[in-house]
Amino acid sequence: MCAVVTPAGSWTGRCYDRFMSLQMFGIPVSRGVAIGRAVLVASSRVDVAHYFIEPAQVEREIARLLQARDAVAAELGGLQRDLPEDAPAELSALLDVHLMLLHDEALTGATSQWVHERHYNAEWALSAQLEVLARHFDDMENDYLRERKADLEQVVERLLRVLMHDSSAVPPSIGVNPRDFAGEDPLVLVANDIAPADMLQFKRSVFTGFVTDVGGKTSHTAIVARSLDIPAVVGAREASRIIRQDDWVVIDGDAGVVIVDPSSIVLEEYRFRQRQSELERVRLTRLRHTPAVTLDGERVELFANIELPGDAAAALEAGAVGVGLFRSEFLFMNRTDDLPGEDEQYQAYCAVVDAMKGLPVTIRTVDIGADKPLDRMSAHELRHEHALNPALGLRAIRWSLSEPSMFRQQLRAILRASAHGQVRLLVPMLAHESEIRGTFDALARAKQQLTESGRAFGDVQVGAMIEVPAAALMIDRFLDAFDFVSLGTNDLIQYTLAIDRADEAVAHLYDPWHPAVLELVARTIRAARARGRAVSVCGEMAGDPSFTSVLLAMGLRSFSMHPSQIAAIKQQILRTDTRRLSDLLLGARSDAPTFTPLRNGGGVAATPPRP
């Protein structure tokens, strides 16, 4: 065996002996160990959908591919015929090369095999085959032939664009099980990045872990990994280029290590760790019906974050006392021109309310933008054409207020659902008084429209997400306007420290223990409690056991997290005596910073961990 040890996110070469292994390092974002065969989602300059299709849809999907090939051939032939007489001969020759590549069996024929054997949709299959062929071109010694890779990429890009505008596309089949055609081997996902819309397709599949080239600890990819409760490593730079389809891969989500083609000794060690983790999970599930009460009798509410109506069942099973955050934007993903209307949204919200059996449900208005674009706004457009920094652009409440008709439509749907149970409305990314006024104006207009149409709605509490430093600093104004507040710590950290949380290049600067971040969190909790307003934390900090004692000491009594994290946080709460946290606040980890009260009346200051 040859072990190739690499610095973080890079590599020193590939061992071509298939009995040799390779290691890569990235950022650990979801704990545990995953072992399986690699399934690659190849990167492309064109954003494409990735989903599995039903066996009965294979022939139809291949027909789509061949129709796209014929359409591109006709397009290239037309360009060639329309060349002016004085056009350079090289232009016609270049079009000949593109036509030759287009009709080569190594492209469309092999792509059809991906559809047949793996049940990939046509776009995914084409991207996967491009990755295979691109590697062949890279290995060519002849400079001229090696440079033809760019021609191949251009041909594939044309095909993808035709496929993306094909109205006969097979709808994503979330229920398809990849194991039906992958055998008994477990599967792990390897990609440059995984879009939130793609994660919806992979959510209920058999992937036991995933690796991405890009991303940080609180990028959306990382959050989804934790929500799925599967091991993941992000920011591994070249992983999707180095790992090949069907390679055996070990993902160490604790250390941020990815091992390709591990030896039998390494495999056995990691399988033992897998068994230990599973035993710990089983032990924690016994706490699901135990009330979350500290040793000194402080009752704590543990709510669930969910993304789709079907997630409500998992929230109840985990022992959640309600839904603290329903990310409604996921209803809008994987949709193009057919966005969910008022009635469809109303039915989705009612499904959650009914499933929670009388427990409260907090619905956040759409947080579209940044790393969660609508299909009708391509990620490329949002990231490169319309916004230099999408995290600071038209997203969340800014987007909703810019689309007043759609915003009122969603508000009406939420209001109607409130007639069936306890529904609370949560508004993301507020920072300006004008946004507060705009939100309540839209809400008043929605109520008026429902009243005029004779449709029932309940009394809905309205809350604000505190995720922009400006909101935390003017918290008293927010508490004047809103019934409750919820701290979105992921964005609060990002904006306080001026760090793109999805960028692995600055991931080491993303620091939830930063004194400024903790002071803003403590300030918000303290102000809300003083005013008698409900306050919760729904960001990743809520589901991190190392922060549980700190947040309890700040006075927090309401946490919201993914259902898979509830048991671990409950265990931490059951072991805590809040009376002992007033003088010295320690995180659960031995290397966590120490916090002591500030003299100004209840804030916190950080003492960095010792080296």
Side-chain angles (χ1 to χ4, degrees):
M1 182 190 75
C2 139
V4 182
V5 182
T6 69
S10 62
W11 69 306
T12 58
R14 172 134 193 148
C15 293
Y16 288 95
D17 185 334
R18 300 303 288 172
F19 294 100
M20 299 179 178
S21 64
L22 173 148
Q23 291 186 35
M24 288 172 286
F25 293 81
I27 302 167
V29 294
S30 186
R31 298 174 65 84
V33 172
I35 303 170
R37 288 196 179 276
V39 173
L40 265 68
V41 174
S43 59
S44 169
R45 288 181 293 181
V46 178
D47 292 307
V48 301
H50 300 83
Y51 55 86
F52 295 102
I53 61 171
E54 301 281 359
Q57 297 169 330
V58 166
E59 294 304 324
R60 180 181 173 189
E61 197 71 359
I62 291 175
R64 285 184 63 227
L65 176 67
L66 297 179
Q67 287 167 5
R69 181 198 62 186
D70 294 343
V72 172
E75 181 184 358
L76 293 175
L79 289 173
Q80 198 168 43
R81 287 192 303 273
D82 294 340
L83 283 175
E85 293 183 0
D86 57 348
E90 290 81 3
L91 283 179
S92 181
L94 180 61
L95 291 171
D96 282 335
V97 169
H98 283 205
L99 283 165
M100 179 187 70
L101 290 170
L102 181 66
H103 290 287
D104 196 315
E105 277 297 297
L107 182 60
T108 50
T111 298
S112 298
Q113 287 301 109
W114 289 109
V115 179
H116 263 299
E117 296 175 8
R118 288 296 182 112
H119 291 200
Y120 291 174
N121 66 303
E123 292 89 340
W124 185 1
L126 193 57
S127 298
Q129 185 58 17
L130 171 62
E131 191 79 7
V132 172
L133 294 176
R135 289 178 180 177
H136 290 323
F137 278 98
D138 287 338
D139 291 338
M140 291 179 179
E141 295 182 2
N142 184 287
D143 290 342
Y144 174 81
L145 293 176
R146 189 165 56 247
E147 290 170 2
R148 298 285 66 77
K149 183 176 82 168
D151 295 313
L152 174 66
E153 290 172 340
Q154 290 168 16
V155 169
V156 170
E157 187 170 337
R158 285 181 180 273
L159 283 166
L160 288 172
R161 291 193 186 280
V162 171
L163 286 167
M164 289 168 63
H165 291 89
D166 179 7
S167 60
S168 67
V170 176
S173 299
I174 293 178
V176 174
N177 189 342
R179 185 167 286 147
D180 292 342
F181 52 87
E184 293 302 316
D185 293 336
L187 304 175
V188 298
L189 196 62
V190 181
N192 175 258
D193 195 11
I194 305 173
D198 282 344
M199 286 308 303
L200 288 180
Q201 310 308 323
F202 300 145
K203 190 169 184 177
R204 294 174 177 84
S205 69
V206 295
F207 294 115
T208 60
F210 64 78
V211 183
T212 63
D213 300 343
V214 301
K217 276 188 174 293
T218 54
S219 62
H220 188 80
T221 304
I223 293 171
V224 170
R226 286 189 286 273
S227 76
L228 297 176
D229 196 23
I230 59 176
V233 173
V234 302
R237 303 282 177 89
E238 298 292 315
S240 68
R241 190 176 70 84
I242 297 169
I243 299 173
R244 301 178 216 172
Q245 203 75 237
D246 285 333
D247 274 349
W248 276 101
V249 175
V250 171
I251 300 172
D252 186 339
D254 299 301
V257 177
V258 179
I259 305 173
V260 186
D261 293 331
S263 68
S264 57
I265 295 174
V266 170
L267 265 179
E268 186 53 40
E269 177 187 345
Y270 277 103
R271 281 174 176 151
F272 173 77
R273 287 178 53 184
Q274 273 188 319
R275 292 191 293 270
Q276 294 297 106
S277 295
E278 185 57 34
L279 288 173
E280 176 64 12
R281 280 194 180 92
V282 171
R283 189 180 67 80
L284 284 176
T285 59
R286 298 170 186 166
L287 299 176
R288 63 181 180 271
H289 298 308
T290 303
V293 181
T294 65
L295 292 173
D296 55 319
E298 289 286 321
R299 185 171 292 275
V300 180
E301 295 177 314
L302 297 181
F303 291 94
N305 296 344
I306 68 171
E307 293 161 354
L308 292 170
D311 298 337
L316 276 180
E317 178 64 21
V321 297
V323 171
L325 176 64
F326 179 10
R327 298 184 174 99
S328 66
E329 58 272 12
F330 282 85
L331 297 175
F332 291 73
M333 292 185 178
N334 290 331
R335 310 284 288 261
T336 51
D337 298 327
D338 180 31
L339 295 178
E342 179 182 333
D343 287 340
E344 184 179 342
Q345 290 185 61
Y346 162 69
Q347 291 167 5
Y349 304 144
C350 283
V352 176
V353 172
D354 292 342
M356 293 308 294
K357 301 178 180 178
L359 295 174
V361 174
T362 302
I363 302 172
R364 183 177 69 185
T365 58
V366 290
D367 188 3
I368 290 298
D371 61 348
K372 292 178 289 185
L374 288 179
D375 279 7
R376 75 176 195 180
M377 320 167 170
S378 73
H380 176 78
E381 289 174 339
L382 280 174
R383 291 173 184 159
H384 300 292
E385 294 178 15
H386 297 319
L388 294 176
N389 189 331
L392 301 178
L394 189 66
R395 58 168 296 199
I397 188 59
R398 301 171 182 177
W399 183 84
S400 292
L401 291 174
S402 74
E403 297 277 355
S405 178
M406 288 187 66
F407 189 33
R408 287 196 301 271
Q409 186 180 76
Q410 180 174 37
L411 293 175
R412 290 195 301 270
I414 295 172
L415 287 168
R416 289 170 59 192
S418 70
H420 301 273
Q422 296 186 62
V423 172
R424 303 196 302 175
L425 175 68
L426 184 60
V427 185
M429 205 179 167
L430 290 161
H432 301 272
E433 292 211 26
S434 60
E435 293 169 342
I436 297 175
R437 289 193 300 271
T439 296
F440 280 100
D441 287 346
L443 186 60
R445 177 61 177 149
K447 289 180 177 179
Q448 180 184 358
Q449 290 172 336
L450 289 177
T451 301
E452 291 172 351
S453 64
R455 293 183 175 181
F457 59 91
D459 184 16
V460 177
Q461 287 191 331
V462 183
M465 287 197 74
I466 307 300
E467 49 190 344
V468 178
L473 292 172
M474 56 186 287
I475 184 62
D476 288 333
R477 172 67 187 95
F478 276 69
L479 294 171
D480 288 339
F482 293 95
D483 300 307
F484 67 97
V485 292
S486 187
L487 280 149
T489 52
N490 306 338
D491 276 332
L492 184 62
I493 297 165
Q494 169 175 250
Y495 295 131
T496 301
L497 302 181
I499 293 167
D500 184 348
R501 60 190 175 97
D503 187 348
E504 75 279 3
V506 293
H508 62 288
L509 297 175
Y510 185 93
D511 182 12
W513 295 100
H514 194 287
V517 172
L518 291 164
E519 176 59 29
L520 291 175
V521 173
R523 176 191 183 103
T524 301
I525 295 171
R526 184 173 66 247
R529 285 174 62 90
R531 296 282 295 274
R533 294 283 194 274
V535 56
S536 67
V537 171
C538 62
E540 289 298 289
M541 196 180 282
D544 186 342
S546 64
F547 280 99
T548 305
S549 294
V550 175
L551 293 172
L552 288 172
M554 290 177 182
L556 188 71
R557 297 295 181 267
S558 179
F559 297 65
S560 190
M561 66 208 74
H562 189 271
S564 65
Q565 298 164 324
I566 288 176
I569 299 303
K570 184 180 289 187
Q571 176 179 257
Q572 196 70 21
I573 291 167
L574 295 172
R575 295 174 175 177
T576 300
D577 187 336
T578 61
R579 295 169 300 186
R580 299 184 178 183
L581 300 176
S582 57
D583 296 326
L584 183 66
L585 310 180
L586 292 174
R589 297 177 306 185
S590 60
D591 64 340
T594 300
F595 300 90
T596 54
L598 291 177
R599 295 180 181 175
N600 65 3
V604 289
T607 302
R610 296 178 182 177

